[in-house]
């Protein structure tokens, strides 16, 4: 393993999948002038890292690949939300399912793991009472990744005050 960590064939597959690439490019175009929270790679990686820390702190044993895959894919439907009004968690679940289905058999997530990823994507905006562990972590990590307390556009943001992170969340 290098000083920078290890390569994951699963995550590399996701990052280079044409549907992932085109969705991210379209989202970048649509958000290029956005003053509020954006949904680019930095947000996806911040979310993944926070979720992984929460997983370790909770001794939950969820694999790093599973966490990073869910985090990388959780906002993939955002451009469709902007363009068609479909909730991005719904569009994202559909797009992620296609990407996961295209994964070569030798590196593919199991059907159970794919289900966990898709459930987490679907549930990352509104936490259900009976949420699965990865779903709960992705919901929390996504919210914790936002530094509203340091945002220059915070006063103009349409998020309710109870959704904004006014402090560093631990």
């Amino acid at each position: 393993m290098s000083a920078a960590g290890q390569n994951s064939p699963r995550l590399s597959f996701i990052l280079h999948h044409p549907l992932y690439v085109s969705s991210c490019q379209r989202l970048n175009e649509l958000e290029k002038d956005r003053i509020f929270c954006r949904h680019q790679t930095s947000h996806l990686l911040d979310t993944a890292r926070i979720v992984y820390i929460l997983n370790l702190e909770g001794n939950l044993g969820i694999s790093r690949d599973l966490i990073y895959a869910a985090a990388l894919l959780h906002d993939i439907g955002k451009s469709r939300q902007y363009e068609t009004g479909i909730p991005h968690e719904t569009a994202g679940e559909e797009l992620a399912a296609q990407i996961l289905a295209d994964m070569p058999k030798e590196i593919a997530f199991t059907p159970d793991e794919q289900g966990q990823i898709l459930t987490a994507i679907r549930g990352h905006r509104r936490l259900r009472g009976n949420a699965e562990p990865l779903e709960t972590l992705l919901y929390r990590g996504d919210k914790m990744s936002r530094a509203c307390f340091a945002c220059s556009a915070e006063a103009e943001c349409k998020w309710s005050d109870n959704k904004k992170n006014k402090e560093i969340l631990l």
Side-chain angles (χ1 to χ4, degrees):
M1 179 167 68
S2 71
Q6 61 190 21
N7 179 36
S8 166
R10 290 169 159 176
L11 300 180
S12 291
F13 179 85
I14 291 168
L15 287 173
H16 296 95
H17 190 283
L19 186 54
Y20 185 84
V21 171
S22 64
S23 296
C24 289
Q25 287 173 343
R26 183 65 184 139
L27 184 55
N28 282 334
E29 292 168 15
L30 292 167
E31 289 190 341
K32 70 179 165 64
D33 296 323
R34 183 179 165 96
I35 62 169
F36 303 107
C37 300
R38 296 177 73 192
H39 302 88
Q40 276 65 47
T41 303
S42 60
H43 165 63
L44 304 176
L45 289 175
D46 287 348
T47 300
R49 291 172 179 136
I50 291 167
V51 171
Y52 191 64
I53 291 167
L54 294 172
N55 172 60
L56 293 174
E57 289 178 345
N59 199 27
L60 299 176
I62 301 171
S63 80
R64 186 175 4 210
D65 270 6
L66 201 63
I67 288 168
Y68 272 73
L72 288 173
L73 292 165
H74 84 276
D75 282 336
I76 194 171
K78 197 72 173 172
S79 62
R80 288 195 179 172
Q81 179 174 318
Y82 291 145
E83 294 176 322
T84 68
I86 186 172
H88 78 271
E89 66 274 22
T90 303
E93 180 184 15
E94 179 184 314
L95 295 168
Q98 181 61 56
I99 292 168
L100 295 172
D102 289 348
M103 198 171 275
K105 190 173 248 179
E106 61 273 8
I107 63 168
F109 289 100
T110 67
D112 179 63
E113 290 171 326
Q114 289 181 39
Q116 289 179 58
I117 292 167
L118 298 175
T119 297
I121 292 167
R122 185 175 55 249
H124 84 273
R125 290 189 63 207
R126 290 175 199 85
L127 194 60
R128 304 177 299 138
N130 59 343
E132 295 178 6
L134 181 59
E135 180 181 7
T136 299
L137 293 180
L138 186 61
Y139 172 85
R140 290 182 58 207
D142 186 39
K143 307 308 173 254
M144 291 172 75
S145 73
R146 302 302 189 180
C148 303
F149 59 87
C151 178
S152 61
E154 188 268 333
E156 301 168 69
C157 180
K158 294 177 186 157
W159 271 16
S160 62
D161 276 348
N162 65 342
K163 282 179 74 176
K164 292 178 183 176
N165 295 331
K166 301 276 192 161
E167 302 286 336
I168 294 176
L169 299 178
L170 302 177

